[in-house]
């Protein structure tokens, strides 16, 4: 009844890697979600019904799937099937539309001009859909990382040091080339090193200092990190040195917080950063006597 190419956008249900495997771009699993304006339980039932109909040739089974839906859901299913049939149509709006697949949504995301537009746009898709799009973002960034790795860089020594810190903190992901779904090959970490340096507008040595303190920001989308940094800077009334000294250099993990929450929780963020910094200092003292 439906071609296998029309799979709906719903979640798809080792040994040590060789050096060559770690250099390769990790394969992305096939996306299996489709956009519906409503992400509630009834909408998810429609998507599940659509998935069951994909490739189904038994009309009796198909009828049972459709009969299990209420009249409103059947209308939505019909519209979804029609939208999927036009999945290759020209993109005329950046708004998420019924039937949009991850690849189409990713193209729309790339058309947005500002961080504010991106933040507002991402709020319109549910977390499962956002994850599919995020994986496409990471594949794209990994491709950029490979191109950048082929060039010469004045900060190569510092980027290498950041990679060494990352390997020490995350040995298994560094060996496998992935942290959950995120590529973390040497090229990826050095790419994020340079994007973080650009976002913070600091010397390479400062980014090395961050990596040595906590390399967690290097497993995160650098565009997300940049948006969070902008929110931190705004919360600190544009005082870059204050933002660095009282937050980022004490607790680099603050860079993976949601930017929109920073302003209302700035005092708590400062206290947390100071506490983590103090605890880190004590740990280093104890390590001297080991």
């Amino acid at each position: 009844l439906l071609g296998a190419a029309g799979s709906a956008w719903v979640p798809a249900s080792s040994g040590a890697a060789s050096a060559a495997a770690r250099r390769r771009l990790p394969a992305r699993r096939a996306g299996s979600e489709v956009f519906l304006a409503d992400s509630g339980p009834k909408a998810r039932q429609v998507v599940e019904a659509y998935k069951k109909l994909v490739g189904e040739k038994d009309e009796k089974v198909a009828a049972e799937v459709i009969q299990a839906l209420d009249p409103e859901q059947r209308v939505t299913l019909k519209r979804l099937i029609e939208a999927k049939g036009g999945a290759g149509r020209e993109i005329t709006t950046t708004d998420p539309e019924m039937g949009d697949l991850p690849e189409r949504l990713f193209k729309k995301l790339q058309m947005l001009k500002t961080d504010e537009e991106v933040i507002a746009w991402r709020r319109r898709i549910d977390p499962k859909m956002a994850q599919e799009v995020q994986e496409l973002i990471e594949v794209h960034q990994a491709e950029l990382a490979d191109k950048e790795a082929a060039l010469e860089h004045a900060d190569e020594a510092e980027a290498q040091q950041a990679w060494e810190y990352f390997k020490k903190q995350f040995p298994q992901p560094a060996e496998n080339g992935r942290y959950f779904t995120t590529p973390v090959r040497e090229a990826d970490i050095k790419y994020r090193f340079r994007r973080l340096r650009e976002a913070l507008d600091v010397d390479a040595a400062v980014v090395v200092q961050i990596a040595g303190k906590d390399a967690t920001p290097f497993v995160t989308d650098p565009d997300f990190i940049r948006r969070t940094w902008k929110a931190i800077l705004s919360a600190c009334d544009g005082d870059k040195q204050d933002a660095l000294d009282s937050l980022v250099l004490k607790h680099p993990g603050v860079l993976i917080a949601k930017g929109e929450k920073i302003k209302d929780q700035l005092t708590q963020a400062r206290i947390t950063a100071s506490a983590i910094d103090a605890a880190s200092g004590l740990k280093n003292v104890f390590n001297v006597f080991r």
Side-chain angles (χ1 to χ4, degrees):
L1 296 180
L2 290 175
S7 57
W9 190 3
V10 294
S13 20
S14 109
S18 67
R22 292 195 299 272
R23 289 194 297 269
R24 289 198 299 269
L25 179 63
R28 174 185 174 270
R29 63 182 176 81
S32 57
E33 283 275 345
V34 67
F35 178 81
L36 290 181
D38 179 5
S39 60
K42 292 185 69 173
R44 300 305 299 177
Q45 289 172 6
V46 172
V47 176
E48 290 295 337
Y50 181 88
K51 184 180 179 183
K52 291 176 182 177
L53 291 174
V54 172
E56 179 59 62
K57 301 186 183 301
D58 189 322
E59 293 186 5
K60 182 178 179 181
V61 173
E64 290 175 353
V65 172
I66 294 172
Q67 289 299 321
L69 303 176
D70 64 31
E72 182 181 351
Q73 288 175 312
R74 291 174 200 167
V75 171
T76 301
L77 177 61
K78 180 176 182 294
R79 291 176 57 204
L80 175 56
I81 293 171
E82 292 171 348
K84 287 285 291 177
R89 65 194 181 281
E90 180 185 0
I91 296 177
T92 58
T93 176
T94 57
D95 292 340
E97 301 170 280
M98 177 177 287
D100 277 352
L101 294 175
E103 292 76 11
R104 185 175 172 86
L105 285 171
F106 175 59
K107 290 178 182 178
K108 291 183 175 183
L109 178 62
Q110 290 181 303
M111 294 167 64
L112 301 177
K113 304 297 185 183
T114 67
D115 286 333
E116 291 70 27
E117 288 178 337
V118 170
I119 292 170
W121 186 89
R122 292 181 73 108
R123 288 189 184 126
R124 300 180 63 182
I125 57 178
D126 70 26
K128 293 176 182 178
M129 299 175 184
Q131 179 57 34
E132 292 279 2
V133 175
Q134 185 60 39
E135 290 182 23
L136 287 171
I137 292 171
E138 290 170 349
V139 168
H140 175 66
Q141 290 175 347
E143 291 170 350
L144 295 177
D146 286 337
K147 292 179 181 178
E148 187 172 273
L151 305 175
E152 294 185 1
H153 301 277
D155 61 0
E156 181 59 29
E158 291 87 352
Q160 182 64 34
Q161 184 60 59
W163 167 239
E164 297 301 327
Y165 280 134
F166 179 85
K167 287 193 295 181
K168 184 177 180 180
Q169 184 173 343
F170 298 99
Q172 198 60 50
E175 177 69 19
N176 295 336
R178 271 196 184 278
Y179 182 84
F180 294 97
T181 64
T182 303
V184 290
R185 304 161 303 152
E186 180 177 345
D188 302 313
I189 300 307
K190 291 181 176 180
Y191 174 82
R192 294 183 192 119
F193 171 90
R194 295 186 173 103
R195 300 296 82 72
L196 180 56
R197 183 183 176 188
E198 291 172 356
L200 301 184
D201 189 23
V202 294
D203 292 337
V206 175
V207 186
V208 171
Q209 183 180 348
I210 290 171
K213 187 82 169 184
D214 180 7
T216 301
F218 295 87
V219 300
T220 306
D221 178 356
D223 291 334
F224 178 89
I225 296 291
R226 186 191 68 251
R227 291 192 289 269
T228 299
W229 167 248
K230 286 174 64 176
I232 292 173
L233 200 55
S234 175
C236 293
D237 297 324
D239 190 332
K240 174 181 166 183
Q241 203 58 51
D242 176 39
L244 287 170
D245 292 342
S246 68
L247 290 166
V248 175
L249 294 179
K250 287 184 176 180
H251 175 34
V254 72
L255 288 169
I256 66 172
K258 288 188 176 181
E260 58 266 30
K261 295 183 178 181
I262 292 292
K263 191 173 185 65
D264 293 336
Q265 300 177 5
L266 181 61
T267 300
Q268 184 58 47
R270 290 183 190 276
I271 293 172
T272 300
S274 294
I276 290 176
D277 184 50
S280 176
L282 285 174
K283 181 180 178 181
N284 291 335
V285 169
F286 290 138
N287 285 338
V288 171
F289 296 100
R290 286 185 177 178

